[in-house]
Amino acid sequence: MRGRGNARSSRALGVSWYPATWHPRLDMGRLHRPRSSTSHRNLPHLFLFFLFVEPFSCLASHSRATELLYSLNEGLPAGVLIGSLAEDLRLLPRSAGRLDPHSQLPERTGAEWNPPLSFSLASRGLSGQYVTLDNRSGELHTSAQKIDREALCLEGGGGTAWGGSVSISSSPSSDSCLLLLDVLVLPQEYFRFVKVKIAIRDINDNAPQFPVSQISVWVPENAPVNTRLAIEHPAVDPDVGINGVQTYRLLDYHGMFTLDVEENENGERTPYLIVMGALDRETQDQYVSIIIAEDGGSPPLLGSATLTIGISDINDNCPLFTDSQINVTVYGNATVGTPIAAVQAVDKDLGTNAQITYSYSQKVPQASKDLFHLDENTGVIKLFNKIGGSVLQSHKLTILANGPGCIPAVITALVSVIKVIFRPPEIVPRYIANEIDGVVYLKELEPVNTPIAFFTIRDPEGKYKVNCYLDGEGPFRLSPYKPYNNEYLLETTKPMDYELQQFYEVAVVAWNSEGFHVKRVIKVQLLDDNDNAPIFLQPLIELTIEENNSPNAFLTKLYATDADSGERGQVSYFLGPDAPSYFSLDNVTGILTVSTQLDREEKEKYRYTVRAVDCGKPPRESVATVALTVLDKNDNSPRFINKDFSFFVPENFPGYGEIGVISVTDADAGRNGWVALSVVNQSDIFVIDTGKGMLRAKVSLDREQQSSYTLWVEAVDGGEPALSSTAKITILLLDINDNPPLVLFPQSNMSYLLVLPSTLPGSPVTEVYAVDKDTGMNAVIAYSIIGRRGPRPESFRIDPKTGNITLEEALLQTDYGLHRLLVKVSDHGYPEPLHSTVMVNLFVNDTVSNESYIESLLRKEPEINIEEKEPQISIEPTHRKVESVSCMPTLVALSVISLGSITLVTGMGIYICLRKGKKHPREDENLEVQIPLKGKIDLHMRERKPMDISNI
């Protein structure tokens, strides 16, 4: 069932399967196992035989050879199933333990072969290009290389070849195109040699195409109706069968033609042009249409070419005269060789069919023929001999126009000869200007009144008065030349311009009193001078080009005109001296180019001159100005003035206060130069004004929480695509004196310290330890005693730098009791220092016998006079800073050790006092006590409970 399903899906994709070719002598129903070990040992030799002697397969055994035939459409995508060799060779059983009755393999019980079957191509070759073979399942699929039937089979040639694992076969007499594969089925105990043929079916993927785009067909104008003419260069379609060229048609038949298609025995179709009406070249000599070739695909594809149908001439027209008779008058004094008339016939044919010769009819008398000569090619009649007194006054000249194969056309020329009794006036010219063959040549720049010729007018008989005048238009004047009679001067009257008119024709006419007229024609040809400079179409040539242009980019084509002729009007183009060297101008064509890339940011506008020079002598030139504007492209990223910005801001700076300006520029122009600024990180704290670049903090900043900030600001321009850059911003908070010193020791105003009376002067008793969270001068701490209370509190002093309290004088018997020192801890902040106070309680005695008594003294509010005397110390950064976090663990450890030692000493003192059993009365309410002390004890600090430091 799976094999059938695959077959159906394959047909849906254009793949078909055909049963194998069975040979009558082959037992294809089953494979026989070898009966002896000898035959089993010979299997490898048989396998090698098939591999190396396959070209001589006619000598090999065919008992295990099989052929399979598949077909598929060309152009299928990769992965389309062509067929399953295992199923189509019936190598897979229907179920486990039972074998298909048509299977060629021995019966088995498992669902899988052991060892498993393996399928492989005999050799690689072209297999990887068109098909892929699954080695395990035996399934053939199309590969990523699409099959193009036209390319495959046209290259493959005719015949069938099995020389490799994949070969190509196409038959010139059919439409078949085969892909041939040799497949081996292994292992050797199941060995099969399978020949697979894949027929490639054609699809309509090519349109008909004419080999030339212009096709010409010539038809004689006398071609009868239904004349058939083959059209050369028929269309070609690589597709075959119904997908090939099927029919032809014309886009416009002109009512005179139709098309027919004939098919020869090879299936080739040739279009024929059929004449459907009478043709006349003299009416229309050419027909143009579009010939369309159409294939039989669905939908059909078309190809076209231009078909020109030329009508060839035949001699179907004869010469014709427009008139049947002309009248000519000749004076008896006419000069020999003077043309008296001309006849002209017309033949509508072409070439030799239109050649005309002229001749006299045989009816013309010989005397007339001798007097008047007829040019057989031009039809011009000239006076051939001098007219004598005996010449007839009337001549009838019958002239024939002869064409090839035609009846001559006839015209009659009636010539009347007027005999002259008196001789006409004579005109004798004497040229001053250059004259050649009756043509006078003048330069156009000749001044006014330039003489051309003298004319002498006279009467040969000397009897009649002769007058003359100038006939014709032009800047000329004929005037008597005094003081001579009958002498006339021809001269110019105006400046002449070759560019306006190059040729003049005038005549000097003389007549006498008898009415005889004589005319002398004067032809004047002007010679061109270089009197015009080239003229640019525009004196200012405004151009634009985008920057970063490609080298040798085209800018424009300059064009200047010169009204002069010849080389005087030939214009060459040159750059002016102010043009940069990287601009080029072709001298002949006027094409202006730029050889390098232009950068608008380097220079936006260029202005220079160009010259147009003619080739006259001397040359003339004109100048135009080129104004080139380089258009901007977004090729520059925003650029910060500095890579790193640093701002120093005092702490407690108000929110949205101006920290500083971030300056950024963009060398581009317009929208490409618009820059938007934004804070990349810590945008919850800082904001930047895009327009002004002003950096602000949203909240107040506290140096003690964070002493510096590092920001990244991004600048993005408005180009498309946008360009950007970033800059690093460092904000350092400047300390202000907003934190008073913090007393860390003593920890409470209620704590006290036992001072032994035996303490030597100069010995340290205790210390006041304070820190300041500020920095710099704001954190420089000074210690001073501003208040004292006790028997003799001046016995103690404090070091203003270190806070160490030392005993200045030896203690006396009267110094026993509680000494209270009010210590002021002050910084050196600006503009106003801050301070804290702490009470240092020193109990002078040998021991502590009554703690409750001491505590009652501590609870009383002391009456202390404040001494506002600032300590005089040199300010050095030797104080301890709050930032020195590394000292804190040491201080904590020392404090713990000190507290432990004090506790131990206190316990020992209490124990000694209890053994002696002596009580010490309280006598002084004013913090003065007399306590007899005996024995030797150490300093000891007692604290009843932890208390906060009181900062006054």
Side-chain angles (χ1 to χ4, degrees), residues 420-426 458-464 466 512:
V420 179
I421 300 176
F422 303 100
R423 295 174 64 185
E426 293 180 351
R458 63 189 177 186
D459 181 17
E461 303 292 336
K463 301 178 180 180
Y464 305 99
V466 179
N512 60 16

Side-chain angles (χ1 to χ4, degrees), residues 328-342 360 371-375 379-387 397 415 519:
V328 181
T329 300
V330 180
Y331 289 99
N333 61 347
T335 305
V336 175
T338 301
I340 62 173
Y360 284 127
L371 184 60
F372 302 104
H373 176 264
L374 174 65
D375 191 303
V380 175
I381 303 173
K382 294 182 179 180
L383 183 61
F384 191 68
N385 291 309
K386 189 174 181 180
I387 298 175
L397 305 177
V415 181
K519 179 185 295 187

Side-chain angles (χ1 to χ4, degrees), residues 387-706:
I387 298 175
S390 61
V391 174
L392 297 175
Q393 295 184 358
S394 178
H395 297 267
K396 183 178 181 181
L397 305 177
T398 302
I399 301 172
L400 305 178
N402 305 294
C406 291
I407 298 175
V410 180
I411 190 174
T412 300
L414 297 178
V415 181
S416 299
V417 178
I418 300 176
K419 294 184 179 181
V420 179
I421 300 176
F422 303 100
R423 295 174 64 185
E426 293 180 351
I427 301 175
V428 180
R430 296 188 300 280
Y431 292 99
I432 301 173
N434 184 27
E435 181 268 340
I436 301 175
D437 295 334
V439 179
V440 177
Y441 294 91
L442 291 178
K443 294 183 178 180
E444 63 171 327
L445 296 181
E446 294 286 355
V448 179
N449 299 327
T450 296
I452 299 175
F454 277 112
F455 291 93
T456 300
I457 310 299
R458 63 189 177 186
D459 181 17
E461 303 292 336
K463 301 178 180 180
Y464 305 99
K465 181 181 179 181
V466 179
N467 295 315
C468 72
Y469 65 91
L470 187 65
D471 184 25
E473 295 182 355
F476 306 103
R477 177 176 59 215
L478 183 66
S479 57
Y481 189 73
K482 295 179 181 182
Y484 303 104
N485 294 325
N486 297 330
E487 295 289 339
Y488 294 86
L489 176 65
L490 179 64
E491 60 185 354
T492 62
T493 60
K494 294 179 180 180
M496 292 178 288
D497 190 349
Y498 176 88
E499 287 70 38
L500 296 178
Q501 187 171 348
Q502 297 90 33
F503 184 79
Y504 296 91
E505 184 173 318
V506 294
V508 177
V509 180
W511 82 97
N512 60 16
S513 57
E514 295 297 322
F516 286 99
H517 291 74
V518 177
K519 179 185 295 187
R520 188 64 179 256
V521 177
I522 308 299
K523 297 178 180 180
V524 179
Q525 175 67 55
L526 291 185
L527 300 178
D528 187 29
D529 281 311
N530 191 30
D531 59 338
N532 292 278
I535 300 175
F536 283 100
L537 295 180
Q538 296 174 336
L540 177 61
I541 304 168
E542 296 181 333
L543 307 174
T544 60
I545 186 174
E546 280 194 343
E547 63 175 329
N548 303 332
N549 55 281
S550 58
N552 300 318
F554 172 83
L555 293 177
T556 188
K557 186 179 188 301
L558 302 180
Y559 184 71
T561 58
D562 193 318
D564 294 325
S565 62
E567 66 179 8
R568 292 171 292 274
Q570 295 179 1
V571 180
S572 299
Y573 302 91
F574 301 93
L575 290 172
D578 55 345
S581 60
Y582 39 83
F583 288 95
S584 300
L585 179 60
D586 191 286
N587 302 131
V588 178
T589 63
I591 293 178
L592 181 63
T593 58
V594 56
S595 61
T596 186
Q597 282 191 349
L598 299 180
D599 188 355
R600 188 204 66 83
E601 290 72 37
E602 181 179 342
K603 189 172 183 181
E604 182 178 5
K605 293 185 180 294
Y606 295 85
R607 193 178 183 92
Y608 53 88
T609 57
V610 290
R611 298 185 301 124
V613 183
D614 63 23
C615 297
K617 295 181 179 179
R620 291 177 174 267
E621 69 176 45
S622 61
V623 178
T625 300
V626 174
L628 175 63
T629 301
V630 182
L631 302 180
D632 184 55
K633 291 180 70 175
N634 192 29
D635 59 341
N636 288 278
S637 300
R639 183 176 182 181
F640 290 92
I641 293 180
N642 299 317
K643 293 183 179 179
D644 297 330
F645 291 84
S646 297
F647 297 103
F648 295 87
V649 180
E651 63 174 329
N652 302 330
F653 197 67
Y656 291 96
E658 296 180 354
I659 295 176
V661 176
I662 309 299
S663 299
V664 62
T665 60
D666 194 316
D668 294 322
R671 189 177 185 86
N672 295 331
W674 296 353
V675 179
L677 296 172
S678 62
V679 178
V680 177
N681 62 324
Q682 300 196 24
S683 58
D684 56 333
I685 302 177
F686 297 95
V687 66
I688 193 166
D689 185 347
T690 298
K692 299 180 180 179
M694 181 61 69
L695 181 65
R696 305 172 188 269
K698 297 180 181 179
V699 296
S700 179
L701 305 177
D702 187 358
R703 190 201 65 81
E704 284 70 37
Q705 292 183 2
Q706 187 170 341

Side-chain angles (χ1 to χ4, degrees), residues 73-75 149-150 201-206 239 243:
N73 292 342
E74 62 174 324
R149 181 189 180 281
E150 290 73 34
R201 292 196 296 262
D202 182 48
I203 63 173
N204 192 27
D205 57 343
N206 291 279
D239 296 326
N243 294 328

